[in-house]
Amino acid sequence: MPLPRQETNVEPIAKFAIGSTLFYANNDQVTFGEANDLYGMYRRQTPYRVTRDRAQNILTEDNVLILNRLRAADSTATFAWTMHEDTARICGYLCHRATANFRGRTWTVWWTEEIPIDAGPWKLHGLPGLILRASDSKRMHQMEATGVRKPLLPHIVRSRAGYRKVSRAFLAKETEECALNYEERVQHRGFIQREKRTNKRRFYSPYEDE
């Protein structure tokens, strides 16, 4: 039996050049299932996502590694931002520069007080306005908003079940192992091994070094 459709205050805030979408909720009643539905509306499904509980200031990482659905809470992701006088326009909004050291990298972000929402791509947050551009000191990650929109969306609430709760360190290690030793992990999980092993590593570019 299908669940009834429900109106929520979840809005897609910004579309980033890396292919990700940032959503913002005006209340604390949004479930992971609701966020999952929104991802399906705006882009192809992605196994990795970060959700932030603004009331408790806890971030949650979800990832699917070889059909293994893992979920890790991150309550220590805080940023001590240093403000700078530089300004730039991104998507038509006046933005200010800020920098912070976080787990082995220095992040430079551009945020706008014209959208007074404490949010940003990935785990980046903690500023008086929405972060529209971000890059790390190792030049591995560069994210910039390519569009901003705010429609209200009705959607179906789905179950949040099926994820195994793990530590942040465990999730990071599993992500690395599945990227660098993918075929060995596939064989270990009991899947049929391909006739010819290629030993190719999968894409792996972590955001954190600590």
Side-chain angles (χ1 to χ4, degrees), residues 1-206:
M1 178 177 178
L3 295 173
R5 300 179 68 84
Q6 299 181 8
E7 292 283 350
T8 73
N9 290 325
V10 181
E11 302 178 358
I13 291 297
K15 188 77 172 180
F16 288 84
I18 58 172
S20 66
T21 304
L22 169 67
F23 298 103
Y24 175 81
N26 291 328
N27 57 50
D28 296 324
Q29 305 303 316
V30 180
T31 68
F32 283 97
E34 292 172 328
N36 189 51
D37 287 334
L38 287 168
Y39 274 101
M41 291 179 185
Y42 281 90
R43 55 161 297 171
R44 65 178 183 271
Q45 203 72 300
T46 174
Y48 177 79
R49 66 195 60 174
V50 176
T51 305
R52 176 172 166 236
D53 183 333
R54 293 181 297 117
Q56 301 183 43
N57 198 29
I58 296 177
L59 292 103
T60 302
E61 293 180 272
D62 289 346
N63 207 353
V64 180
L65 302 171
I66 313 178
L67 301 183
N68 193 14
R69 305 172 75 187
L70 304 178
R71 173 168 293 166
D74 185 356
S75 61
T76 62
T78 57
F79 297 81
W81 296 107
T82 299
M83 303 294 191
H84 302 275
E85 296 182 356
D86 313 50
T87 61
R89 285 205 171 269
I90 304 171
C91 293
Y93 295 94
L94 179 64
C95 296
H96 307 274
R97 184 168 68 95
T99 56
N101 296 320
F102 181 69
R103 294 176 181 166
R105 301 182 187 219
T106 298
W107 286 89
T108 298
V109 304
W110 296 82
W111 61 279
T112 177
E113 56 189 358
E114 297 178 30
I115 307 178
I117 295 174
D118 173 14
W122 183 55
K123 297 181 181 181
L124 301 171
H125 69 281
L127 287 163
L130 182 65
I131 297 171
L132 294 179
R133 178 189 292 166
S135 60
D136 72 316
S137 54
K138 297 189 178 181
R139 298 176 178 266
M140 294 183 65
H141 303 285
Q142 297 185 24
M143 300 166 275
E144 181 171 339
T146 58
V148 177
R149 54 186 173 181
K150 299 181 181 179
L152 290 173
L153 299 172
H155 53 273
I156 298 173
V157 178
R158 295 191 298 192
S159 172
R160 294 183 291 175
Y163 280 90
R164 172 187 165 197
K165 293 183 179 180
V166 297
S167 68
R168 182 177 66 86
F170 180 88
L171 179 58
K173 185 62 177 178
E174 282 295 295
T175 301
E176 178 182 10
E177 286 294 323
C178 288
L180 304 184
N181 304 294
Y182 180 75
E183 293 198 21
E184 291 182 7
R185 283 306 180 98
V186 169
Q187 185 178 10
H188 180 72
R189 288 291 306 276
F191 294 98
I192 298 176
Q193 183 180 357
R194 290 186 295 184
E195 294 182 2
K196 182 179 180 180
R197 292 177 58 88
T198 60
N199 291 321
K200 290 183 178 179
R201 59 170 286 178
R202 297 171 69 86
F203 177 78
Y204 180 64
S205 181

